[in-house]
Amino acid sequence: MLNQIVGKHAESKKLESNILQISQDAKLMKAKHADVIDATVGMLHHEEGNVFKYQVVEDLLHHLSDAEIYHYAPVRGTNAFSEGVVNWVFGNHTQTIKEHFHYSVIPTTGGSGAISNTFYNFNDFGQKVLIANHYWTPYENFAFEANIELTTFQMYDDSDCFNIEDFRAKAMDLAHKQKRLCVLLNDPCNNPTGLCMSPDDWKAVVSVLNQVADEDIPVILIHDIAYVDYQLKDPQYSRETFLSYLDFHPNILAVVVFSGSKTFSLYGFRIGAQIGISKSKDIIDQFVRVGDYSVRGRFSSVSQPGMNIIGKIFTDPHYQNQFSQELIHARKLLKDRAILFMEEADKQGLKILPYCGGFFISIITQNNNIFKDLVQEHVFVIQMKKLIRIAISSLKLQDIPRLVSILRRHI
Amino acid sequence: MLNQIVGKHAESKKLESNILQISQDAKLMKAKHADVIDATVGMLHHEEGNVFKYQVVEDLLHHLSDAEIYHYAPVRGTNAFSEGVVNWVFGNHTQTIKEHFHYSVIPTTGGSGAISNTFYNFNDFGQKVLIANHYWTPYENFAFEANIELTTFQMYDDSDCFNIEDFRAKAMDLAHKQKRLCVLLNDPCNNPTGLCMSPDDWKAVVSVLNQVADEDIPVILIHDIAYVDYQLKDPQYSRETFLSYLDFHPNILAVVVFSGSKTFSLYGFRIGAQIGISKSKDIIDQFVRVGDYSVRGRFSSVSQPGMNIIGKIFTDPHYQNQFSQELIHARKLLKDRAILFMEEADKQGLKILPYCGGFFISIITQNNNIFKDLVQEHVFVIQMKKLIRIAISSLKLQDIPRLVSILRRHI
């Protein structure tokens, strides 16, 4: 009988499904069969099948100095990166946010690293984070690895709108039970559903958080904005959400999760950031203290070339302008696919969840076997609880009518 | 009174000293004063002051395909990377190791990520890892972040040799107390001391580990080989150590920590690997299960360009040969500085710890204020418990006599 080699908390760790692995399987089948449709991984691709890279990113990568490529990155990040990320994320509202809040930026290994660190630092072991019932499954892995759990509220009400009533009920209940409320919202352009919460939804959410904070219960809002630059409307519209922050109770900590992977197609570099925002200086001091520690205590520092590319784009108007122009093309690629998908779905009678932007369209299904059924038809999607997620980011326009028809048959 | 926003286990997290931060301070002073000697960070530099980059790495970086740069890396790593790392690390003994052991490779965010993951997965919360009393201080951060502690044995005996007696005593004691023995040894070319354990030292260590494993106590050896390619003797000599593994008790898990930062100067990329080695297939299955999970649950995947550069160098004889040639130059840079430093120390009567390779030379000191004293002389080193660490990796030959003289005065 073998002794217990792994730690007690790691005994039941097991990767159940892995989106990146399924994507590898799709690639393998595609090498054999030309008709394979791979709608698995959230990486933006051109119609021709190659990844959408930003030329300004590419040019900068090949013109960084040796120090900008090879040296260790500073744990706290360069000023160009940190201030640049803040300016980009908050857009027209940056000054307003800076006037009302203390803030700090911790560079992380992608958005994933930011969420993982925050889960670990801002919960006691065994506590639960509140999250919508449709969610990107790696959140489960981040939670289990941090020795915490997830608990859900219903994302939609009967009209397919954000279910503020269920959010309020579950938030109050959890806050009272465990004397801590840590909420994760992935908005705008939710992965997997494509939902964008309205300004009124956000006002209502903030009101619930304030009610909890009024009871002197710690409140942490993790705001994952990975797809902030890819909504159907003008990206500035995505930033309106942050105005709801102005009403925050002084003791609330918001951690805004920025993804260099999505905004710059730097998926393979692992660069992102967590932006801590609070009206309390003490809370931001604590955010910095534990965040810095986790960077050093988990991987020492982040991607130096990734950090420098982003720092340059965000601080040089020429590069930023070039990037913004390219982003328009990226958004158009997505928009054309989304519109065709929605038209085809409408025509063929396939009910999809309301989509307002981002890399994914989702469909509720009762078919528990749908992943395998679709693979038989040479279609790869990601199956989550009661839905399938279609990565329009990597779909070709010409495949969409056929895909909708196949989905229609198996849903 | 503010409520407790961070989790209980994170309450006392605080970065006490940060080598990367001290290095930033040194750079700032150097911009003002030409005579500043910066011997802080372990990055190999040319005499002219620029980082030692490998031309083969540089050429490959600028000729990777878009997919090899931008796509997410597979969580399990490419075959070229994983097999390449194994072949490189074990050198002439690869076949022997493969014949006697099960093994698996998990790509990580540098050597730091490998150690952090292993600390977290292979200890119960609150348990202790045994380590030499002179150690790279970030190990403390990896431990605290993993909710475990470090405990030490005396590295040296009275003859400045590896203190196997104290290792045995502390290992047996810890194993019996907590019913788990997790040991971290940084060898060859120890950071900070420059010690290389002899084949006899390793035999004796394995004998202690076996004795513990015989009592059905889990034994994990974390073998940090970050500086394996930088010893004074031929690097193949560094690989002789692995022959001692052949005597392992069947239930021992060794986790060999490979650093892409050090071997390839890819410091800023965050790429490394943990190689799990055991005679037990079950143990390697568990190593893979929890290791994969930690990659996904902490940062999703590692650096794709870093992984592909290393994969290509390790699998293409042309690139590997070019790299090996450049490595000879890198080692000569270090060797020239080490020899001059040892000669000067001898001449000026400065007693250093025995150095056999790697980026650092260390000196025992009783001066608790030495860091500040040296900064006053425009010299930056890293102070650790009872010693100072000199990064010869970033020293210029011409600065060495003056440095030794300044050290002599303050030690």
Side-chain angles (χ1 to χ4, degrees):
Chain A
M1 168 64 194
L2 187 67
N3 56 46
Q4 184 56 46
I5 193 98
V6 303
K8 281 180 190 141
H9 56 289
E11 272 183 45
S12 58
K13 271 187 190 181
K14 179 129 184 49
L15 269 186
E16 286 302 339
S17 93
N18 185 323
I19 295 174
L20 300 179
Q21 187 55 50
I22 292 169
S23 167
Q24 298 293 318
D25 297 344
K27 277 201 192 99
L28 285 177
M29 194 193 264
K30 192 152 192 161
K32 290 188 202 155
H33 302 280
D35 67 342
V36 166
I37 297 179
D38 176 6
T40 55
V41 167
M43 293 192 281
L44 185 59
H45 280 72
H46 287 285
E47 285 295 305
E48 297 74 24
N50 44 336
V51 68
F52 186 98
K53 67 177 173 186
Y54 288 89
Q55 197 55 48
V56 61
V57 167
E58 177 89 357
D59 292 345
L60 281 167
L61 172 63
H62 295 301
H63 291 90
L64 293 176
S65 70
D66 289 351
E68 289 166 338
I69 290 182
Y70 293 104
H71 282 198
Y72 288 112
V75 174
R76 291 296 309 279
T78 60
N79 196 55
F81 175 81
S82 298
E83 283 300 302
V85 166
V86 168
N87 291 336
W88 180 259
V89 164
F90 298 109
N92 291 345
H93 306 304
T94 304
Q95 272 317 310
T96 310
I97 291 288
K98 286 187 178 177
E99 279 159 23
H100 288 79
F101 292 93
H102 299 272
Y103 69 96
S104 189
V105 176
I106 309 272
T108 56
T109 45
S112 297
I115 295 165
S116 169
N117 289 1
T118 312
F119 275 8
Y120 190 67
N121 284 324
F122 292 99
N123 291 283
D124 294 345
F125 291 151
Q127 288 190 322
K128 291 176 180 171
V129 168
L130 184 64
I131 190 172
N133 63 321
H134 301 299
Y135 59 82
W136 187 46
T137 42
Y139 290 148
E140 285 175 8
N141 308 131
F142 304 151
F144 195 95
E145 181 73 10
N147 212 33
I148 63 166
E149 294 171 43
L150 300 180
T151 184
T152 59
F153 67 94
Q154 295 297 308
M155 179 179 265
Y156 294 107
D157 63 16
D158 293 340
S159 329
D160 279 351
C161 292
F162 183 77
N163 193 334
I164 186 66
E165 288 315 315
D166 202 53
F167 175 78
R168 178 179 294 118
K170 298 289 167 52
M172 297 308 295
D173 186 51
L174 182 65
H176 290 146
K177 264 192 196 140
Q178 67 179 20
K179 299 296 173 200
R180 174 182 301 276
L181 180 61
C182 182
V183 169
L184 189 161
L185 294 174
N186 174 214
D187 183 76
C189 315
N190 181 269
N191 172 4
T193 67
L195 175 74
C196 291
M197 290 164 62
S198 72
D200 281 349
D201 293 335
W202 270 101
K203 264 193 192 146
V205 162
V206 170
S207 151
V208 172
L209 301 182
N210 283 348
Q211 202 179 329
V212 173
D214 270 338
E215 298 181 33
D216 201 30
I217 293 172
V219 175
I220 301 101
L221 167 68
I222 306 175
H223 188 174
D224 182 353
I225 59 159
Y227 301 94
V228 68
D229 292 310
Y230 297 99
Q231 72 152 308
L232 285 182
K233 296 188 190 174
D234 185 275
Q236 201 49 49
Y237 184 83
S238 293
R239 274 76 179 173
E240 298 301 308
T241 300
F242 296 119
L243 293 178
S244 70
Y245 281 26
L246 297 177
D247 294 330
F248 272 162
H249 182 286
N251 285 358
I252 289 177
L253 170 66
V255 180
V256 180
V257 175
F258 169 77
S259 165
S261 310
K262 306 303 177 185
T263 291
F264 294 104
S265 290
L266 283 167
Y267 312 102
F269 281 69
R270 316 313 305 132
I271 179 78
Q274 48 189 357
I275 311 172
I277 310 256
S278 177
K279 290 178 178 167
S280 155
K281 179 174 181 308
D282 179 73
I283 284 178
I284 293 304
D285 288 346
Q286 299 206 48
F287 169 80
V288 172
R289 174 175 63 82
V290 299
D292 272 2
Y293 202 101
S294 288
V295 169
R296 188 51 162 155
R298 291 174 164 224
F299 42 78
S300 283
S301 59
V302 304
S303 170
Q304 169 82 332
M307 177 182 291
N308 286 315
I309 290 167
I310 292 176
K312 281 171 196 280
I313 291 175
F314 279 156
T315 49
D316 183 313
H318 170 73
Y319 295 136
Q320 186 161 336
N321 184 49
Q322 190 182 340
F323 171 65
S324 295
Q325 293 303 315
E326 293 188 69
L327 190 56
I328 292 171
H329 289 287
R331 281 207 306 276
K332 183 163 187 322
L333 265 182
L334 270 178
K335 191 173 183 173
D336 289 349
R337 291 172 198 164
I339 287 173
L340 179 61
F341 197 106
M342 290 189 283
E343 284 173 359
E344 280 294 327
D346 195 43
K347 204 180 342 177
Q348 300 191 34
L350 176 71
K351 184 174 183 299
I352 66 172
L353 287 170
Y355 170 90
C356 86
F359 285 13
F360 309 106
I361 287 178
S362 278
I363 302 158
I364 301 287
T365 178
Q366 307 303 328
N367 176 0
N368 289 327
N369 206 42
I370 191 158
F371 177 77
K372 286 186 183 165
D373 288 350
L374 292 174
V375 169
Q376 293 244 324
E377 304 253 21
H378 292 188
V379 167
F380 286 81
V381 301
I382 299 298
Q383 183 175 5
M384 294 168 170
K385 283 170 197 148
K386 299 200 171 175
L387 63 73
I388 52 168
R389 186 192 82 168
I390 317 297
I392 60 169
S393 51
S394 55
L395 269 188
K396 291 180 211 288
L397 279 169
Q398 66 180 41
D399 285 339
I400 289 175
R402 181 165 63 95
L403 173 62
V404 170
S405 145
I406 293 170
L407 295 174
R408 180 73 191 82
R409 267 188 278 126
H410 292 282
I411 212 75
Chain B
M1 168 64 195
L2 187 69
N3 55 46
Q4 184 58 48
I5 193 97
V6 304
K8 282 181 190 140
H9 57 287
E11 273 183 44
S12 59
K13 271 188 189 181
K14 178 126 184 53
L15 270 187
E16 286 302 338
S17 92
N18 185 323
I19 296 174
L20 299 180
Q21 186 56 49
I22 292 169
S23 168
Q24 298 293 317
D25 297 344
K27 277 200 191 103
L28 285 178
M29 193 192 267
K30 192 153 194 163
K32 292 186 200 156
H33 302 280
D35 68 340
V36 166
I37 298 180
D38 176 7
T40 55
V41 167
M43 293 192 281
L44 185 59
H45 280 71
H46 287 287
E47 285 295 305
E48 296 74 25
N50 45 335
V51 68
F52 185 98
K53 67 177 175 186
Y54 288 89
Q55 197 55 47
V56 61
V57 167
E58 177 90 357
D59 292 345
L60 281 167
L61 172 63
H62 295 300
H63 292 90
L64 292 176
S65 71
D66 289 350
E68 288 166 339
I69 290 182
Y70 294 105
H71 282 197
Y72 288 111
V75 174
R76 292 296 309 280
T78 61
N79 196 53
F81 175 81
S82 299
E83 283 300 302
V85 166
V86 168
N87 292 336
W88 180 259
V89 165
F90 298 109
N92 290 345
H93 306 304
T94 304
Q95 270 318 310
T96 310
I97 291 289
K98 286 186 178 179
E99 278 160 22
H100 288 79
F101 292 93
H102 300 271
Y103 69 97
S104 188
V105 176
I106 310 271
T108 56
T109 45
S112 297
I115 295 163
S116 169
N117 289 0
T118 311
F119 274 9
Y120 190 67
N121 284 324
F122 291 98
N123 291 283
D124 294 344
F125 291 152
Q127 287 190 324
K128 291 176 180 171
V129 168
L130 184 64
I131 188 170
N133 63 322
H134 301 299
Y135 59 82
W136 186 48
T137 42
Y139 289 149
E140 285 175 8
N141 309 130
F142 305 151
F144 196 94
E145 181 73 10
N147 212 33
I148 64 166
E149 294 170 45
L150 300 180
T151 184
T152 60
F153 66 94
Q154 295 298 306
M155 180 180 264
Y156 294 107
D157 62 16
D158 294 340
S159 330
D160 280 349
C161 293
F162 182 78
N163 192 333
I164 186 66
E165 288 316 316
D166 202 53
F167 175 79
R168 178 181 292 115
K170 298 289 166 55
M172 297 309 294
D173 186 51
L174 183 65
H176 291 146
K177 265 193 194 137
Q178 67 178 19
K179 299 296 172 200
R180 172 182 303 275
L181 180 62
C182 182
V183 169
L184 188 160
L185 293 173
N186 173 215
D187 185 77
C189 314
N190 181 269
N191 172 5
T193 68
L195 175 75
C196 291
M197 291 164 61
S198 72
D200 280 351
D201 293 334
W202 269 101
K203 263 195 191 142
V205 162
V206 170
S207 150
V208 172
L209 301 182
N210 283 347
Q211 203 179 326
V212 173
D214 269 339
E215 298 181 34
D216 201 29
I217 293 172
V219 174
I220 302 101
L221 168 68
I222 306 175
H223 187 175
D224 182 354
I225 59 159
Y227 301 94
V228 69
D229 291 310
Y230 297 100
Q231 75 150 307
L232 285 181
K233 296 188 191 174
D234 186 276
Q236 201 49 48
Y237 184 83
S238 292
R239 275 75 180 171
E240 296 303 306
T241 300
F242 297 118
L243 292 177
S244 69
Y245 280 26
L246 297 176
D247 293 331
F248 272 161
H249 182 287
N251 285 358
I252 289 177
L253 170 66
V255 180
V256 180
V257 175
F258 169 77
S259 165
S261 310
K262 306 303 178 187
T263 291
F264 293 104
S265 290
L266 283 168
Y267 312 103
F269 281 69
R270 317 312 305 132
I271 179 79
Q274 47 188 358
I275 311 172
I277 310 258
S278 177
K279 289 177 178 168
S280 155
K281 179 175 181 307
D282 179 72
I283 284 178
I284 293 304
D285 288 346
Q286 299 207 47
F287 169 80
V288 172
R289 173 175 65 81
V290 298
D292 272 1
Y293 201 100
S294 287
V295 171
R296 188 53 164 153
R298 293 176 162 221
F299 43 77
S300 283
S301 60
V302 303
S303 169
Q304 168 82 333
M307 177 182 289
N308 285 314
I309 290 167
I310 293 176
K312 281 171 196 283
I313 292 174
F314 279 157
T315 49
D316 183 312
H318 171 72
Y319 295 137
Q320 185 161 338
N321 184 50
Q322 190 182 340
F323 171 66
S324 297
Q325 292 304 315
E326 293 188 68
L327 190 55
I328 292 172
H329 290 286
R331 280 206 305 275
K332 183 163 187 321
L333 266 183
L334 270 179
K335 191 173 183 173
D336 289 349
R337 291 173 198 164
I339 286 173
L340 179 60
F341 196 106
M342 290 189 283
E343 283 172 0
E344 281 293 327
D346 196 42
K347 206 183 334 178
Q348 301 190 33
L350 176 73
K351 184 174 185 297
I352 67 171
L353 288 170
Y355 169 89
C356 86
F359 284 14
F360 310 104
I361 286 179
S362 280
I363 302 158
I364 300 288
T365 178
Q366 307 303 326
N367 176 2
N368 289 327
N369 207 42
I370 192 159
F371 177 77
K372 286 183 182 167
D373 289 350
L374 293 174
V375 169
Q376 292 242 326
E377 305 252 20
H378 291 187
V379 167
F380 286 81
V381 302
I382 299 299
Q383 183 176 3
M384 294 169 168
K385 283 171 199 150
K386 301 201 169 174
L387 65 72
I388 52 168
R389 187 192 82 168
I390 318 295
I392 59 169
S393 50
S394 54
L395 270 188
K396 290 180 209 295
L397 279 169
Q398 65 179 42
D399 286 339
I400 288 176
R402 182 164 63 95
L403 174 62
V404 169
S405 148
I406 294 171
L407 294 174
R408 180 74 190 81
R409 268 188 278 126
H410 293 281
I411 212 76

